[in-house]
C-alpha cells in the first residue's frame, strides 16, 4: 500500500510539472528538431539521418527517351532506389539535370540557382555527367558551316546525318569536316571543366563523395568515314584525359564510360543510353563509390549472390537426389522382375520335372503291364 501511494505521488508530480511547462515544451522540442537538421559543426551540416544525393548533368543523367511513349529510368533514380532498398537509407534525390546541357551552361545557369546551391551545401553524394554536348555542339556548328546550310539543327544527330549525306554527295567535303573538327579548341572545355568542378567542390561538404563520368563515343553506332571517326575518338580521349587529370584537385572519382561497352546499349537514336545502358552506369557508379552506404549495397548484392548460388546448389543436389532415387527405384523394379522371372522359371522347371517323372512313371507302369 505504501509503495502504491509513493508511485501515485511521483506520477501526480510528473503530471503537474508537465502542465506547468506545457506552454514552453512544444517550442523547445520544435527548436531542438530544427537545430538537428541545420546546426553547423566544424563547417559541416549535422547528420539528420537522410542521405542527400545531388545529380547534375545532361540528357544521359536526365534519362532522355528517344521514344515519347517509352520511359527511361535514369541512373540517378536507379542509384537512389538501391540506396533505399539495399542499404536501408532514407534518400533525398535532387536531380538537377537538363537535356542538351553543356559544361558552360551547367556552371553559368544550373549552379547559379539557389535551390541547387542549397542542395549541394548539404550533399552526402554527388554525381556529374557532362561534356558530351560540348562535342556534339561542335558537330552542329561544323555541319552548318561546311554545308553552308541555314538549317537550325535541333539535335546533333540531325547535324551528323546532314554531314553524312553531304559527304556522300561530295566526298571532298570530308577533308573540310575533318579539318574543322580536329581544330576544335578543346582547351576551352578544360577551362569550363575546371571552373565547374571548382564551383561544385566549393559548395559541397568536405566529407561528401563525388563521382563523375567520362564521355563515351556518342557516334560510335553511326557509319562515319574512318578518318572522321578517328578524329572524333581522338577528341573524346583528350576530353576524358582532362576529366581524369583533375580528379585529385577537386576530390572526385571517375567512372570510365568510353570502353565500358555502353555504346552497344543505346536507343534508336544511336546516342542515348537505353535502360540497359542506364543500369550499366548505375552499376559502375555503385562499384566506384567508397562511402558506407555503397559498401552496404555491395554486401547486399554479395549476400544475394551467395543465396542465389546456394539455391542453385541446393536445387542441383535435390535434382541429383531425385535422379538417384529414380535410378534406385528402377533398379529395384528390375531386380523384382528378375526375381519374378527366376521364380517363374523355377516353377516351370519344377513342373517340367514333375511332368517328366509322371511320364516316366506312366511309362514304367505301362511296361510292367505288358510283362
Amino acid at each position: 500500500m505504501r509503495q502504491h501511494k509513493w508511485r501515485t505521488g511521483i506520477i501526480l508530480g510528473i503530471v503537474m510539472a508537465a502542465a506547468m511547462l506545457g506552454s514552453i515544451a512544444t517550442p523547445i522540442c520544435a527548436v531542438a528538431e530544427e537545430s538537428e537538421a541545420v546546426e553547423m559543426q566544424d563547417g559541416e551540416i549535422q547528420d539528420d539521418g537522410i542521405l542527400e544525393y545531388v545529380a547534375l548533368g545532361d540528357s544521359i543523367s536526365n534519362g532522355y527517351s528517344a521514344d515519347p511513349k517509352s520511359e527511361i529510368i535514369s541512373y540517378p533514380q536507379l542509384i537512389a532506389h538501391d540506396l533505399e532498398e539495399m542499404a536501408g537509407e532514407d534518400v533525398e534525390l535532387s536531380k538537377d539535370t537538363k537535356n542538351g546541357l553543356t559544361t558552360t551552361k551547367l556552371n553559368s545557369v544550373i549552379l547559379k540557382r539557389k535551390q541547387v546551391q542549397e542542395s549541394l551545401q548539404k550533399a552526402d553524394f554527388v554525381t556529374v555527367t557532362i561534356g558530351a554536348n560540348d562535342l556534339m555542339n561542335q558537330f552542329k556548328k561544323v555541319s552548318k558551316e561546311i554545308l553552308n546550310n541555314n538549317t537550325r539543327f535541333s539535335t546533333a544527330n540531325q547535324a551528323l546525318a546532314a554531314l553524312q549525306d553531304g559527304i556522300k554527295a561530295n566526298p571532298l567535303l570530308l577533308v573540310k569536316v575533318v579539318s574543322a573538327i580536329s581544330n576544335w579548341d578543346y582547351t576551352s572545355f578544360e577551362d569550363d571543366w575546371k571552373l565547374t568542378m571548382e564551383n561544385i567542390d566549393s559548395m559541397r561538404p568536405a566529407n561528401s563523395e563525388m563521382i563523375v563520368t567520362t564521355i563515351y563515343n556518342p557516334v560510335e553506332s553511326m557509319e562515319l568515314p574512318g578518318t572522321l571517326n578517328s578524329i572524333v575518338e581522338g577528341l573524346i580521349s583528350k576530353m576524358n584525359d582532362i576529366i581524369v587529370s583533375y580528379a585529385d584537385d577537386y576530390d572526385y572519382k571517375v567512372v570510365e564510360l568510353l570502353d565500358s561497352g555502353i555504346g552497344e546499349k543505346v536507343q534508336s537514336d544511336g546516342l542515348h543510353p537505353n535502360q540497359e545502358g542506364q543500369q550499366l552506369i548505375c552499376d559502375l557508379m555503385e562499384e566506384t563509390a567508397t562511402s558506407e552506404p555503397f559498401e552496404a549495397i555491395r554486401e547486399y548484392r554479395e549476400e544475394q549472390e551467395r543465396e542465389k548460388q546456394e539455391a542453385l546448389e541446393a536445387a542441383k543436389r535435390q535434382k541429383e537426389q531425385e535422379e538417384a532415387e529414380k535410378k534406385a527405384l528402377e533398379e529395384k523394379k528390375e531386380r523384382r522382375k528378375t526375381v519374378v522371372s527366376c521364380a517363374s522359371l523355377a516353377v516351370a522347371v519344377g513342373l517340367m520335372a514333375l511332368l517328366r517323372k509322371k511320364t516316366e512313371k506312366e511309362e514304367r507302369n505301362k511296361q510292367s503291364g505288358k510283362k
Side-chain angles (χ1 to χ4, degrees), residues 337-361:
K337 288 180 182 178
T338 301
V339 170
V340 170
S341 297
C342 290
S344 299
L345 180 60
V347 170
V349 169
L351 290 172
M352 289 177 66
L354 289 173
L355 182 60
R356 187 172 58 253
K357 286 181 180 180
K358 181 180 179 183
T359 303
E360 291 174 353
K361 183 178 180 181

Side-chain angles (χ1 to χ4, degrees), residues 73-265:
I73 302 174
S74 65
Y75 78 77
Q77 292 172 293
L78 295 172
I79 292 174
H81 174 270
D82 289 348
L83 285 167
E84 290 179 337
E85 296 299 318
M86 299 183 189
E89 296 283 345
D90 291 326
V91 179
E92 180 68 32
L93 172 60
S94 299
K95 189 163 166 280
D96 301 298
T97 56
K98 181 178 175 60
N99 295 342
L101 193 68
T102 61
T103 309
T104 303
K105 290 293 184 181
L106 171 59
N107 188 55
S108 63
V109 178
I110 303 297
L111 294 181
K112 298 295 183 183
R113 294 174 181 169
K114 183 179 180 182
Q115 172 266 320
V116 176
Q117 294 175 358
E118 290 176 348
S119 295
L120 280 170
Q121 287 167 6
K122 58 182 181 179
D124 297 297
F125 183 60
V126 181
T127 59
V128 183
T129 295
I130 201 72
N133 288 307
D134 299 57
L135 178 61
M136 300 307 280
N137 283 348
Q138 180 66 10
F139 279 111
K140 293 182 187 180
K141 180 182 177 183
V142 168
S143 296
K144 192 169 183 178
E145 292 176 353
I146 298 297
L147 299 175
N148 195 23
N149 192 333
N150 292 324
T151 302
R152 183 181 178 88
F153 298 112
S154 59
T155 66
N157 202 22
Q158 292 176 354
L160 285 168
L163 270 180
Q164 284 180 298
D165 293 340
I167 292 171
K168 287 179 181 178
N170 182 5
L172 293 177
L173 286 179
L174 177 60
V175 178
K176 291 185 178 181
V177 172
V178 169
S179 177
I181 294 178
S182 60
N183 288 328
W184 177 47
D185 183 17
Y186 64 87
T187 54
S188 61
F189 169 74
E190 181 173 8
D191 293 336
D192 290 336
W193 182 266
K194 287 168 57 180
L195 186 57
T196 301
M197 292 300 108
E198 184 177 348
N199 284 337
I200 295 174
D201 192 49
S202 66
M203 294 181 210
R204 66 188 181 102
N207 63 343
S208 63
E209 183 173 27
M210 180 162 73
I211 299 182
V212 307
T213 60
T214 60
I215 304 165
Y216 65 90
N217 189 346
V219 296
E220 182 179 346
S221 62
M222 302 189 72
E223 297 179 359
L224 296 178
T227 305
L228 181 55
N229 196 55
S230 297
I231 295 296
V232 172
E233 290 183 352
L235 285 175
I236 292 173
S237 294
K238 289 176 181 178
M239 293 173 75
N240 286 341
D241 288 343
I242 290 170
I243 292 173
V244 173
S245 67
Y246 288 98
D248 291 338
D249 292 344
Y250 300 110
D251 189 26
Y252 59 75
K253 300 177 183 67
V254 180
V255 166
E256 298 275 6
L257 292 185
L258 183 59
D259 298 320
S260 66
I262 196 171
E264 300 173 1
K265 303 180 188 298

